[in-house]
Every structure is written in structure tokens, then in C-alpha cells.
Amino acid sequence: MTNTEGRARREQRRGPVVRRQSQMQTGTTDQHLLDTRGTADWVHEDPFRVLRIQSEFVEGFGALAELPPAISVFGSARTQRDTPEYEAGVAIGRGLVEAGFAVITGGGPGAMEAANKGAMEAGGVSVGLGIELPFEQGINPYVNLGVDFRYFFVRKTMFVKYASGFVVLPGGLGTLDELFEALTLVQTKKVTRFPIVLFGTAYWSGLVGWLRDTLVAEGKVGERDLQLFHVTDEVEEAIGVVTKEAGAGA
């Protein structure tokens, strides 16, 4: 027996995957594909999930590829309609459309609904990128272009890829997740000229203070990283900052 023959018996190659010893499998890929006697467990396995992930990227890219310049607006799904925060969201959505931008949100209720409402009422493109959650309430009625996703990371890619900046209204963990994702991308220069506006100085002051007094003070981030975002209470200022810087990066 040649060395080549001996090695062939000790390893199994399936496309880019090499299996050896206890990891070798019986049968061939074609056999598993064509054998109708097997179970349907494969639809729950990781290789099939890759196809689902791929399909979500394809659907998202296809739906959003022809968007005009856009700004993503984030905020809490729990924001009540009779609050100043909600009214600010409506005004921001309206102002962004009047400035020539589409508005992208997570498509849910609260602050997201507010921004979508302002955008739709101003006659603009109002986008909602929904996510499958145990208690998901569906896409709000002020979205005129909606896409639902299974996977957070696919959805987050769409928020950044098709937006020229972020306006971040008061929100919870999901809002913080998107905020720090954007800050990290800008800090590491994965994206450039990407304005980030935090709306609501009272709400964000504790976080900004912690960044300054702990992260910067202990050398975990640089002083200049505090310039990656702008904090304001003024709707016009928020719109002016995010659209001016986004336009400069176009």
C-alpha cells in the first residue's frame, strides 16, 4: 500500500472540510442529499442555517439597495406616545425627510414608531427592519418599506450599510447595543465619516460621564473617542449635525 493510499484511508475530504479519525463520517455528500429515508433534522443544523443567513443578506440587500441617503434612528420600544420623547422622534423623522434623507428604524413601537411616523407624514421613505423575538409586536403602521430578520447580526449590518449616520433616542439594551456597535466601527475606522447623535442630554449624561471618568481616565479609550458622538436636546441641531456630516461623507 502506498503512502497516498494509507493517508486516504485515514482521512476524509468533503469540499473544504477534512475529517480524520473519529470525525470521519459514513456515506458521501450526494448520498445524504439523495437518500429520502433520512430524517428532517438537517433543517435545524448549522450548515442549513448558513443558507438561511445567506438568504437574509440577499433579501435585505435586494430590498434596500436602491434607498436614497438614509439615517438610522434608534430608541426604546417602550416610549409612550404621549411623551416628549415620542414627539421628538416624530419631529426628527420629519426633519430628516425634509433634509433629503430616508429614515431607517427597527420597525417596532415606541421611539421607532415615532421616527417612522414623522418620515411617512413628511412623504419620505420610512424603513423598518424588524427582528423575530418571542414577544415581537410586528412592523409598525408607519413603515412603507419593511424587512423582517431572524438574525440580529444580519439586521445590524443593514442598519450600518444603508445609513449615513445614527440618531440615538433614549432607549434600553438594544439601543445601547446599536450605539456601541456604531462607536466601535467608527473608532476602528471600519466606517468613516459616520455621525452619531445622542438625543437627550439628561438621559445620556450618566453614560457620557462614565465614559469620561472611567474609560478615558483609566486609559481604556482615548480622549478623542469622546468626539465620536454629539449630544443635544435640540431637534434641529440633531438633524443638522447628522445630515451635514453624512453629506460630507457621501
Side-chain angles (χ1 to χ4, degrees), residues 86-148:
Y86 188 94
E87 291 304 315
V90 174
I92 287 170
R94 181 185 305 114
L96 289 172
V97 168
E98 291 171 351
F101 287 77
V103 172
I104 302 174
T105 78
M112 296 174 282
E113 176 187 288
N116 285 132
K117 179 180 179 180
M120 177 178 280
E121 290 180 347
V125 180
S126 178
V127 181
L129 306 181
I131 186 68
E132 179 183 287
L133 294 173
F135 304 104
E136 177 61 33
Q137 301 181 47
I139 298 290
N140 71 66
Y142 300 103
V143 168
N144 51 34
L145 176 58
V147 184
D148 274 317

Side-chain angles (χ1 to χ4, degrees), residues 155-222:
R155 180 184 186 230
K156 288 164 72 174
T157 299
M158 303 301 159
F159 279 133
V160 176
K161 178 173 175 58
Y162 292 104
S164 302
F166 286 175
V167 176
V168 188
L169 298 165
L173 295 179
T175 301
L176 291 173
D177 178 45
E178 296 294 349
L179 169 59
F180 279 100
E181 176 91 6
L183 289 172
T184 301
L185 291 173
V186 177
Q187 182 200 50
T188 56
K189 301 189 185 304
K190 293 293 186 181
V191 294
T192 57
R193 292 183 178 273
F194 196 87
I196 300 168
V197 175
L198 306 185
F199 188 85
T201 55
Y203 189 86
W204 296 111
S205 62
L207 176 63
V208 175
W210 177 74
L211 292 173
R212 181 187 61 247
D213 300 335
T214 302
L215 269 66
V216 174
E218 295 187 7
K220 301 300 189 294
V221 300

